Amino acid sequence: MVSRKRSSSNSGPGSLPNKHHNHRHDSNSAANDDSFNELLKPIYKGKSLADEVNTAEDKWNLLPAFLKVKGLVKQHLDSFNYFVDVDLKKILKANEKVLSDVDPDFYVKYLDIRVGQKSSSKTKDPILPPHECRLRDLTYSAPIYVDVEYTRGRKIIMHRDLEIGKMPIMLRSNKCILDGASDSIMAELNECPLDPGGYFIVNGTEKVILVQEQLSKNRIIVEADEKKGIVQASVTSSTHERKSKTYVVTKNDKIYLKHNSISEEVPIVLVLKAAGITSDLEIMQLVCGDDATYQDLFVVNFEEVAKMGIFTQQQALEYLGSKVKTMRRYKLTTLQEGIEAVATTIIAHLTVDNLDFKEKALYMAMMARRVVMAMHNPKMVDDRDYVGNKRLELAGQLMSLLFEDLFKKFNTDFKANIDKILRKPNRATEFNPLLSINIHSNNITSGLNRAISTGNWSLKRFKMERAGVTHVLSRLSYISALGMMTRISSQFEKSRKVSGPRALQPSQFGMLCTSDTPEGEACGLVKNLALMTHITTDDEEDPIRKLCFLIGVENISLIDSANLHSAYGVYLNGTIIGTTRFPTKFVSQFRSLRRTGKVSEFISIYTNLHQKAVHIATDGGRICRPLIIVSQGESKVKSHHLLQLKQGKLQFDDFLKQGLVEYLDVNEENDCFIALYESDLSINITHLEIEPFTVLGAVAGLIPYPHHNQSPRNTYQCAMGKQAIGAIAYNQFQRIDTLLYLMVYPQQPMVKTKTIELIDYDKLPAGQNATVAVMSYSGYDIEDALVLNKASIDRGFGRCQVLRKNTTILKRYPNHTKDIVAGMRVNENNEPIFQHQSLGPDGLGEVGTRVESGQVYVNKCVPANASDSIMDQAAATTEHRETPVTYRAPEPSYIDQVMMSVGDNDQALIKVLLRQTRRPELGDKFSSRHGQKGVCGIIVQQEDLPFNDDGVCPDIIMNPHGFPSRMTVGKMIELISGKAGVLNGSLEYGTCFGGSKLEDMSKILVDKGFNYSGKDMLYSGITGECLQAYIFFGPIYYQKLKHMVLDKMHARSRGPRAVLTRQPTEGRSRDGGLRLGEMERDCVIAYGASQLLLERLMLSSDAFEVDVCNECGLMGYNGWCTSCKSAEFVVKMTIPYAAKLLFQELLSMNIAPRLKLGDVF
Amino acid sequence: MSLFVQDEDDQISSEPTLSTTYEQTDEDMPDVQEESIEEKKDNEDELDPVVQSIPIHLKPVIINQELNILQYPGRPAQREYNNIVTSQIKPKSKVIAISTQIDTTKFYDEQYKYNTDLSNLIKTQVHEGNLINTPGTYIGSVQDNKLVLAPLDNVAQLRPALNYIDKDVAQKKQMQQLDARQSQGTGPVQVVQMTVKSSSDTAPRLGGALLSRKIADDEDFVNYKWLGKASTAERSLFDLTETEQEKILLTKGTKKEYVDLLVKETASV
């Protein structure tokens, strides 16, 4: 579809970047974005401005424009920016006053809150740059300032810029110093300009708050259990204060309201009466309208309440109040409890402050109506798994929940402190509350830090404990870090065996990647965002409500029950605000306001015909994506727009403002007709896709020709692409990470995709283009094993470096002693001893030296008596004991970097980075980009490998049996396109649903004198004879995966044993034994090798000699039976220690196992 | 005037901040513009062309006089209550109560349990409701091809209050308690330990709906002047003759400025 004109040889994109440096028309904002600047050059991707612009093929240009504005992690940044700029102020407003119980006149009032900026200054406070925080194990944070007003005696004093704590800052958010930084500034700060940001640095580690998927809040969800015959409508109300769930359920075909803090189910009619709808007629009208079938279903509900003799609102409230179970400090009357229940407890997100419960009554009536509808027609239930019913919770929202909790705690602590001081009868000085505010400021800082670094989100006010919210940002490769930023984890239990939540939902088209999900237990529960998605932040409701009334919505408070259901209800975030008689007109007017920028572009509006409702959503966490608007069967984006986009005269936002493109969320998509291609346009079509390949996410976008592959293969590649070793970032050599894998000579793929260019994978690739021959060779290629060419390995194929960090802290002790680093020790020849060979005179390893197993690279010494008191004057000068950091590994390493610094608690911090360079060896794992993994089975001399007419030898030989069952046709096409690209001197495209066409590629092959199918005639390297078949031969991009033999190889003859069982330890890291498990045991038994069995299971494991008394059958010791008090029948024998342990444990439980011995022979 | 106009009322919303600055006999600016916006939209929509345009007369806000809509859900609009006995209001908490005469000639059961006390026959029915302020809402009527709009203050939905049931229940409860206490008699004397607490510690701080309820309960009804149907007030409100010396208000701003004014809160930057 998109790009065919790659045939002219000078148009390869690789040749472009340096050519036209002088022709930049860029604006200031584009200055730091090279990938976008390319768009502004006269020739971009082989097309010049003079070329005829074809909208159908060039509208993909909107994509880089979108990503320039949005970026791949924009959702995180947006959310965090919203939190620090808007949400913080809202939280402050909601908790603005601290009052004292003692002095009624006293108050402290918060006026304003800012992060990282004082009220006086125009610029951000200078904060420690992020890379320094990484290296020094600090937290990248900025101070939180508040302005307060408080009383001091009779005076009211205002104080600005009071620091109440520090807020961890998300990298590249608007509070970060990298915000808007140019490439050169980024380089100065040791940051990679391609790094997307969106994570935090807490105590030196990069932490990501994963996107959490949840069922949408404050919306009615109707579900039915057909077996039990239950229909229920539930709504999870979420406010700043509390979270609660209200149900309207059927029980024996009658409808009840259920709530956690109401002890039993209450008839819905009674609740409606309590909410002031005392007339049965009105209840009937509200719930059922004129519909006779609904009325028949509902009418039974009146009976129960009538029998109870409840007619008035007061009676109903008192009844309700008697059922409420709440803990209160103050006793309320039942009537008051009832009012409180209706006003605040039930459907808590609609809080009533006055006497008018109408809104609430309507909401409950609507819930009842939805239940009645579902009783009548079981299809009228909602789907929990539908993406439109989901909301994504991002870093900002989670931070705001946490901050509010901490801030409340801060205020209560502050208040307690104030009360304590004010209660003192005669104070010498006038009380200054600010003196006590600083004491608690550490709580907010450490609370935020702890939550992010441990991932435990504990919110007291919701009584919520959530673990595993944050993860360490995976820096295995650029793509793994990027993949992590787009990941969405679901709150759903992994163990439950329901398929619904895991299944691919049709509604996730274009919103969530269809391929990128892990295999196994988290399959379908962990998802990834597609390339062009945006996640909304909260928008204000009130202006939208007013606007709705302006364009003809009739206010709900004016509508009487009889007329309610004759028109379409207008719902704002799930709550009815009015009705409209002309829904189509209303919706189209609203949309036209949105398209002209009069309303935020992220507000969605759609009609639901089944419910006779128009829904408007302004809440945050909805997934949406941009689409081209179509009117009268014509795309609004014309070629001149794209031309202007290319010339840099238009930005993506201009497209939004001009009403050419708009964001649709999942619900609104259902209200539209969206054409995939321009050729599909007709008069009914409302929208056009920008590019179909955006159904995939960033990670799946790496796969060339994924539309030719069997779908699970793409999923496998998504998992493996994250394990590929490659370039991590431009600052990879400045980083000191726990474990870092780097490829020595990474290459960009011959067959690229549009996504690869958009996410800059071509600048930080992870893999190499290998020449692959698909043939059988040597027999060491069975089961997907690969044959590698030794000469290729010598040239650097698959070579990688492994960098490992070791951190040493020089502690200070309370008695003024501290750890020191001692120098090296020398032998009699004045040469350093073997263990200290790599040490320098400072006692630290010298950069560049080799360390072997057993050698020391930090010669740390701890004081011999660190616990003595300070009084001991001698303590400060005591001798030290050596506790060196020794290198232990099968292969030697080289010292790459040594860093010494001071952490945040004044202790010296030494980080040593050790480097190993590894070349591929037998058993190392490789994979292509099509889910085809394999290990190296043999490394063959180049002389023995086959070669073609040109003398080209393969780097990798792959067994053809890998193809038939896997059906990875994309890999074959990648080979042909790659081969054509090599011959042609161009990079070819394998973009999903597009890319270079196979026919064109074959044409190039034929033109260059090759077979159209990519097969070559090869000659055997051993015999020199021509091979009997034509061999499929060409370049395929291969990734080296992180699983390497060197990290896994393990053997043990003798070694450590577990203390309790005396059996060998488990695992490589503990030098463990290799287990002869149950299945192996069964084999040995079946074979009859009883002596082998005895040796494996006992003698080589935990043989133990015990004294058994043959008389009583119990175990004694030292040849003495303690129960028989004799040595007469004691026999020595060998049993496993675990068996002895079992007998003793049974004895301790009052079970006496007795051994009866008999002769073996 | 009749207050039962909810069937024909024509609510037109406008920017609330502007609707407070009227001058007498002036045609209101925002409304004129609103008309023009409607026209513009209609022009866009060619399927729905403008057939006729009519002038709008906006009546002024009359100080010390409220125009309320009273809705009686559960009673057809055709069946008006024309036997109002009293009309009362709690001005602070905005509770309105209207009592009507019950037609005792039809379907009236004198033996009904709440009527047992014959001296206290229920002969009036009390309707209660809350007045809800609805800014930017108007009552309109078409006269001589002119639309006359009068600004509306409040809307209330009135429902039968049935206070006598509550009273009855409360009374019975009290009786029961008294009975129980008497039957208990004078039991053994109990020693009760008493502690003195300051009232501020124990008294609940009421908020939200509870507070509103308390205010309403503490407040007494005051009489509210009822202008019946036959009154001339209605005519004065809608009479065109009183607005003879009208000035036609022309807008100074453009349509775009007006629309921008309307969406100033929602517009994305």
Side-chain angles (χ1 to χ4, degrees), chain A residues 1015-1034:
Chain A
K1015 290 181 186 173
D1016 270 352
M1017 194 168 74
L1018 295 196
Y1019 301 89
S1020 165
I1022 300 167
T1023 65
E1025 284 174 334
C1026 180
L1027 295 182
Q1028 288 294 300
Y1030 293 115
I1031 303 299
F1032 196 52
F1033 188 70

Side-chain angles (χ1 to χ4, degrees), chain B residues 70-95:
Chain B
L70 303 184
Q71 294 177 324
Y72 299 90
R75 191 173 169 98
Q78 298 82 6
R79 294 182 55 209
E80 297 174 11
Y81 285 112
N82 38 23
N83 43 5
I84 310 289
V85 181
T86 55
S87 58
Q88 289 175 312
I89 193 172
K90 290 182 179 177
K92 229 189 260 170
S93 43
K94 289 211 152 188
V95 177

Side-chain angles (χ1 to χ4, degrees), chain A residues 40-103:
Chain A
L40 312 179
K41 288 167 198 166
I43 297 177
Y44 180 66
K45 310 287 185 209
K47 288 193 179 178
S48 75
L49 293 179
D51 282 353
E52 189 190 341
V53 184
N54 184 342
T55 32
E57 298 196 346
D58 278 358
K59 65 180 161 46
W60 77 273
N61 279 321
L62 280 170
L63 205 76
F66 170 81
L67 287 176
K68 181 183 177 288
V69 189
K70 291 291 165 196
L72 276 168
V73 302
K74 191 67 177 174
Q75 60 275 4
H76 289 274
L77 302 181
D78 276 351
S79 154
F80 185 79
N81 289 346
Y82 180 81
F83 162 59
V84 284
D85 291 337
V86 184
D87 232 7
L88 270 186
K89 298 205 194 318
K90 282 189 190 166
I91 291 170
L92 196 82
K93 192 87 188 151
N95 304 287
E96 64 178 355
K97 270 195 176 174
V98 180
L99 298 173
S100 163
D101 284 343
V102 182
D103 182 358

Side-chain angles (χ1 to χ4, degrees), chain A residues 126-331:
Chain A
I127 47 176
L128 218 55
H131 198 67
E132 194 171 337
C133 296
R134 281 192 202 108
L135 293 179
R136 292 180 53 195
D137 290 355
L138 302 176
T139 302
Y140 182 57
S141 56
I144 310 166
Y145 294 117
V146 287
D147 295 344
V148 289
E149 187 184 279
Y150 60 97
T151 55
R152 190 167 163 184
R154 291 268 162 266
K155 285 173 286 185
I156 293 175
I157 296 169
M158 193 163 132
H159 190 281
R160 285 188 183 277
D161 299 330
L162 184 71
E163 189 181 326
I164 57 164
K166 282 182 169 239
M167 171 77 65
I169 296 293
M170 181 181 279
L171 270 85
R172 298 214 138 189
S173 68
N174 63 13
K175 297 284 169 282
C176 174
I177 54 169
L178 306 179
D179 177 41
S182 68
D183 281 10
S184 59
I185 293 176
M186 294 290 272
E188 254 170 53
L189 294 170
N190 280 328
E191 283 296 322
C192 176
L194 301 183
D195 185 77
Y199 53 90
F200 300 92
I201 298 172
V202 176
N203 300 332
T205 43
E206 297 166 322
K207 288 280 185 176
V208 190
I209 299 181
L210 288 194
V211 183
Q212 312 267 322
E213 180 191 83
Q214 275 170 342
L215 211 57
S216 49
K217 287 169 196 134
N218 306 347
R219 302 294 157 96
I220 302 170
I221 292 266
V222 182
E223 284 164 311
D225 189 336
E226 289 189 12
K227 279 178 207 154
K228 292 179 189 160
I230 292 174
V231 183
Q232 72 166 30
S234 61
V235 58
T236 316
S237 306
S238 163
T239 60
H240 279 292
E241 304 299 322
R242 56 186 146 243
K243 264 182 191 158
S244 70
K245 207 166 181 186
T246 313
Y247 302 86
V248 172
V249 290
T250 60
K251 196 167 134 190
N252 305 326
D253 289 334
K254 283 184 277 184
I255 303 176
Y256 295 88
L257 184 127
K258 208 169 88 179
H259 191 276
N260 268 346
S261 54
I262 297 172
S263 58
E264 61 185 60
E265 288 149 359
V266 187
I268 186 75
V269 170
L270 190 142
V271 184
L272 288 174
K273 289 201 173 184
I277 315 290
T278 43
S279 140
D280 287 356
L281 173 68
E282 202 183 349
I283 291 176
M284 187 61 108
Q285 283 174 333
L286 284 180
V287 176
C288 305
D290 297 335
D291 195 314
T293 45
Y294 293 162
Q295 288 175 355
D296 287 347
L297 278 169
F298 188 75
V299 75
V300 65
N301 291 294
F302 292 110
E303 192 183 322
E304 196 175 354
V305 182
K307 272 184 186 161
M308 287 173 173
I310 290 172
F311 304 105
T312 66
Q313 182 179 10
Q314 178 128 354
Q315 285 175 308
L317 284 170
E318 277 176 355
Y319 178 85
L320 200 62
S322 67
K323 301 292 173 206
V324 172
K325 40 164 194 185
T326 41
M327 295 292 289
R328 276 186 216 288
R329 274 199 292 166
Y330 314 114
K331 187 112 172 77

